[in-house]
Amino acid sequence: PWRKYGHITYAKGLETDLIVAGHRVALGNVDDTECDLDDAPHASTGLALWDGAVLLARFLDSRPELVRGQRVLELGSGKGLVGVSAALLGAKAVTLSDLDYALPGCQATLDANSEAISRLSPPPEISIEAFDWFDPPRNVEVDVIVAADVVWLAELVAPLVDTISSLCPPGSTAKMVLSYQRRGKDADIEFWARLHDAGIQVDGPISWADPQEGPGFSGGSIELGVYLLGRSGAISI
């Protein structure tokens, strides 16, 4: 994974060069022994930080009105950078979610930034929850869904789109802010087709970064983009 931003490497659990709401964000450091890797399919991708999370955190910092005062749910949180950024930007409530094995990483990043979050007035309600796309919880009250780099395996596309559809049912005003990078032809084609079939509208890319050119990104040549998703009338920029 591309973990380097500026001159600070996130994987070391140090403060980073990423500034969100005037706060220098820290990334929590968790030893793999603290995670239940028996529940870590797909090469434990939730234990790494990916460029898409950095891009989305930076984008939200430039458009804080998208999350300010909103109930925010992050899907596939991994290290929790995006959800913590939403909290710093004034979200009313934030839920970080992933499979069980990744949750210690979410907690570590939340703890690393807890002092800055506690100074907010009022401080947001923050929770960390296990969330399986194959069996998503129902009747979740959410205004904004955020997710970074969650499309990579074709076998996970259907449950992901089903989860998005359940969180944004017909008539819903909920929207999704997605940082997306094409990682495979089959998954890419299926993802956009299933969104269309589910009646989810897409606007974007509304922001993008090239890992070869954008400051803070490293490696690769595939562009990263930020997209807005939602039901008819729910999305605008």
Side-chain angles (χ1 to χ4, degrees):
W2 303 327
R3 303 181 186 180
K4 195 170 184 181
Y5 184 89
H7 301 291
I8 303 297
T9 302
Y10 284 133
K12 293 181 180 179
L14 304 174
E15 282 195 343
T16 70
D17 286 341
L18 178 63
I19 306 297
V20 173
H23 171 69
R24 188 176 299 276
V25 180
L27 194 77
N29 193 25
V30 175
D31 190 280
D32 288 356
T33 59
E34 299 179 52
C35 304
D36 183 4
L37 296 182
D38 290 336
D39 184 37
H42 316 305
S44 307
T45 52
L47 300 182
L49 183 74
W50 302 85
D51 275 0
V54 178
L55 172 63
L56 188 49
R58 293 174 61 190
F59 174 76
L60 292 177
D61 188 51
S62 72
R63 298 299 305 267
E65 70 276 7
L66 290 172
V67 295
R68 186 184 297 123
Q70 304 298 304
R71 297 167 298 181
V72 177
L73 167 66
E74 183 182 10
L75 294 178
S77 295
K79 304 291 282 186
L81 178 68
V82 176
V84 166
S85 296
L88 290 167
L89 290 166
K92 176 182 179 181
V94 176
T95 300
L96 308 177
S97 72
D98 211 316
L99 295 177
D100 284 322
Y101 81 92
L103 300 186
C106 293
Q107 186 65 59
T109 297
L110 177 58
D111 291 345
N113 298 279
S114 60
E115 182 177 348
I117 293 172
S118 69
R119 292 198 296 265
L120 298 172
S121 182
E125 300 176 7
I126 303 178
S127 60
I128 298 174
E129 299 181 10
F131 199 121
D132 188 342
W133 300 343
F134 284 92
D135 186 24
R138 304 296 175 182
N139 302 317
V140 176
E141 294 184 350
V142 60
D143 302 309
V144 180
I145 305 157
V146 293
D149 215 347
V150 291
V151 181
W152 75 103
L153 292 176
E155 67 197 69
L156 296 180
V157 168
L160 172 59
V161 174
D162 288 347
T163 295
I164 295 170
S165 295
S166 70
L167 293 169
C168 302
S172 170
T173 59
K175 62 175 67 71
M176 181 175 190
V177 189
L178 172 71
S179 174
Y180 178 84
Q181 181 172 14
R182 179 179 174 181
R183 295 200 175 273
K185 180 179 179 181
D186 291 343
D188 179 73
I189 293 173
E190 184 176 355
F191 179 62
W192 301 115
R194 283 187 176 273
L195 286 175
H196 178 270
D197 292 345
I200 301 294
Q201 296 190 342
V202 178
D203 184 10
I206 54 177
S207 180
W208 64 273
D210 186 333
Q212 289 187 318
E213 300 177 1
F217 298 100
S218 60
S221 59
I222 302 176
E223 292 180 358
L224 298 164
V226 175
Y227 296 77
L228 280 182
L229 284 62
R231 298 290 178 177
S232 177
I235 58 175
S236 61
I237 189 69

